[in-house]
Amino acid sequence: MNIRVGQGYDVHQLKEGHPFWLGGIQIDHTHGAVGHSDADVLIHVICDALLGAANLRDIGFHFSDKDAQYKGIDSKILLKKTLELIRDKGYEVGNIDTTVCLQAPKLNPYIPDIKTCLAGVIGTDMDNISVKATTTEKLGFVGRKEGVSAYATVLIYKK
């Protein structure tokens, strides 16, 4: 079996009054992530990890923030396009392991909905997607509630 592993990392600034999208769902919060698209940091790291695993460069290469067609785009669309790219090379998603670093809000109540959403977009079982959340114990830009960061590791395999 031909398997490959990829990893992703992303950061977005948080600002008051912006919508907060994470893992394809909107979370009610006073602050949301800022970005060219909907700034869904979790989907962005998953895309980066998948693209890296398939040796297809990164999310910025395929979906440039200089390209007007991606302004405000729903990141679920970017994930679908990423899946098309890796599937065109004959790969399928094995599993995805993610960690979101965010001081507030607490994400635990939202994780089942995030996993359901991601599994639906990817076309896989929820058991193949892990979403973990942590704070930075009030340290750094995450701890000061200035931003959100996320990490992803993925396994893909040749069909």
Side-chain angles (χ1 to χ4, degrees):
M1 176 186 278
N2 185 359
I3 61 171
R4 298 177 69 117
V5 176
Q7 62 88 33
Y9 172 73
D10 196 20
V11 171
H12 282 279
Q13 182 181 20
L14 294 175
K15 283 207 173 171
E16 190 171 0
H18 284 257
F20 188 38
W21 287 94
L22 191 71
I25 69 165
Q26 188 169 9
I27 294 174
D28 187 34
H29 191 58
T30 59
H31 290 67
V34 177
H36 184 70
S37 66
D38 63 5
D40 188 325
V41 70
L42 185 56
I43 288 182
H44 294 178
V45 296
I46 292 169
C47 289
D48 253 356
L50 290 168
L51 291 166
N55 196 20
L56 289 169
R57 300 195 54 175
D58 59 40
I59 192 172
F61 178 78
H62 292 278
F63 315 112
S64 173
D65 63 2
K66 308 285 187 275
D67 192 331
Q69 73 176 314
Y70 301 119
K71 179 72 176 157
I73 195 167
D74 181 337
S75 290
K76 292 186 294 294
I77 295 169
L78 301 180
L79 179 55
K80 287 177 187 177
K81 290 177 182 266
T82 297
L83 290 163
E84 288 174 13
L85 289 168
I86 71 160
R87 288 174 176 151
D88 285 348
K89 283 189 78 172
Y91 289 103
E92 189 52 63
V93 175
N95 73 299
I96 298 171
D97 182 29
T98 66
T99 303
V100 178
C101 304
L102 183 67
Q103 200 64 42
K106 296 294 185 190
L107 296 180
N108 193 45
Y110 302 101
I111 289 175
D113 289 339
I114 290 170
K115 289 179 62 167
T116 299
C117 179
L118 292 173
V121 173
I122 295 166
T124 192
D125 190 273
M126 281 180 39
D127 194 48
N128 294 328
I129 300 171
S130 169
V131 178
K132 304 178 303 293
T134 189
T135 68
T136 58
E137 302 298 329
K138 300 183 181 176
L139 298 173
F141 70 89
V142 170
R144 291 188 301 271
K145 302 179 185 176
E146 297 169 355
V148 56
S149 65
Y151 300 85
T153 302
V154 303
L155 180 133
I156 61 174
Y157 62 92
K158 200 70 128 169
K159 287 184 81 171

